[in-house]
Structures are given as C-alpha cells and as structure tokens.
Amino acid sequence: MMAVHEFGHIVGAAITGGTVAKVTLHPLAISQTDVSPNPHPLVVVWLGPIVGSLLPFALTRAVPRRCELAWTVTRFFAGFCLIANGAYIGLGTSGRIGDCDIMLKNGTPPWVMFAFGTAAIIAGLYCWHRLGSLADYLAHPELVSSQLAYLAGLSLLALLLIVSVL
C-alpha cells in the first residue's frame, strides 16, 4: 500500500518538474518521498493518496471475476489501500502528520481532506463488502482455498524477510 502511495508522489514530481531526492519505504514506519526542488507541492502531495487509492481500484476492474483468486486478492488490496489512504488523509487534519501537514500548509481546506477520506473509506468498505462476510469464512473454513492460504503464507514470509533485511 505504501509503495503505491509513494509512487503517486513520484508521478506528481515527474509531471510538475520536481526531482525525487529520496523515497523511504519501511513497513514499521510512515513512508516518505522527498522532492527537491518541488515546484508544485500541492500536486505532489495529493497525487500520493489519489494514485494510491485509484491505481489498486483500477486493477480490480482489469481482473475478471471468473479468476476468483486474483479477483479476491485485488479486491482486498484495493479496499485496504482505499481505507488506509482515506483514514490517513481524512483523520490526519487533527494530527497534522506527514502529507496532511503539507496539504494544510499549502492551502487545502480541512473539509476537502475529510471529504476525500470519507469517500475513500466508503469505497474501500464497498470493495471488501463484495468479498463476503468474515462470519461465513469463520463458519466455513473450506471457503478459503489452499491456493489463497499458500499465497497468504508466502506473503507473510516475504514481509518478514524484507523487514529483517531493512
């Protein structure tokens, strides 16, 4: 999720003539993209959550429902990205952390941030809603395919390896 969000900042820098100085990605910290010079900080800062929300959602449109495993994984990922970006921006006005501080300092009204956050969270919950209920999965564990279980286990292993290297 953080990589897609930071990719949005990189796109923003590229289209506004900024230069990416450094990208920080770590699963235990807030990611960050430093742009210097940054001629249009508002464009760069907003493209992080916009691309970080819309790119995963667009991916769900590309995967046909008949490819059940890929459809489920992309839906879950898109929902997670939408909810995470929405909560970060929508609730971030009070904490003024990271991107939210930059948005506020460059003139974004708090209500715009709250509206973005609300819309993104609702869209993320919609993506998750179409996956089925957690109660169904808990009552009927056979609904989780062995492929999905292996994919989840390999993802966890990859995450642990990345964290141990960083």
Side-chain angles (χ1 to χ4, degrees), residues 9-10 12-14 16-23 32-41 44 102:
H9 293 311
I10 293 167
T16 62
T19 301
V20 175
K22 181 181 176 187
V23 177
Q32 182 176 335
T33 299
D34 296 329
V35 178
S36 181
N38 191 354
H40 299 283
V44 172
I102 296 168

Side-chain angles (χ1 to χ4, degrees), residues 64-86:
R65 186 154 186 169
R66 70 180 178 275
C67 301
E68 189 175 340
L69 178 61
W71 187 84
T72 300
V73 170
T74 56
R75 274 280 170 196
F76 179 82
F77 181 65
F80 178 74
C81 289
L82 283 158
I83 292 168
N85 279 290

Side-chain angles (χ1 to χ4, degrees), residues 1 9 18 24 30 41-42 46 53 59 65 79 88 90 100 104 114 117 131 141:
M1 181 282 302
H9 293 311
T24 303
I30 294 178
L42 208 49
W46 268 105
S53 297
L59 181 63
R65 186 154 186 169
Y88 176 48
C100 299
L104 291 167
F114 183 76
L131 293 178

Side-chain angles (χ1 to χ4, degrees), residues 121-146:
I121 290 170
I122 289 169
L125 292 174
Y126 172 76
C127 285
W128 281 358
H129 171 72
R130 295 188 60 191
L131 293 178
S133 76
L134 180 59
D136 287 343
Y137 283 105
L138 293 176
H140 304 284
E142 68 276 4
L143 292 173
V144 178
S145 70
S146 59

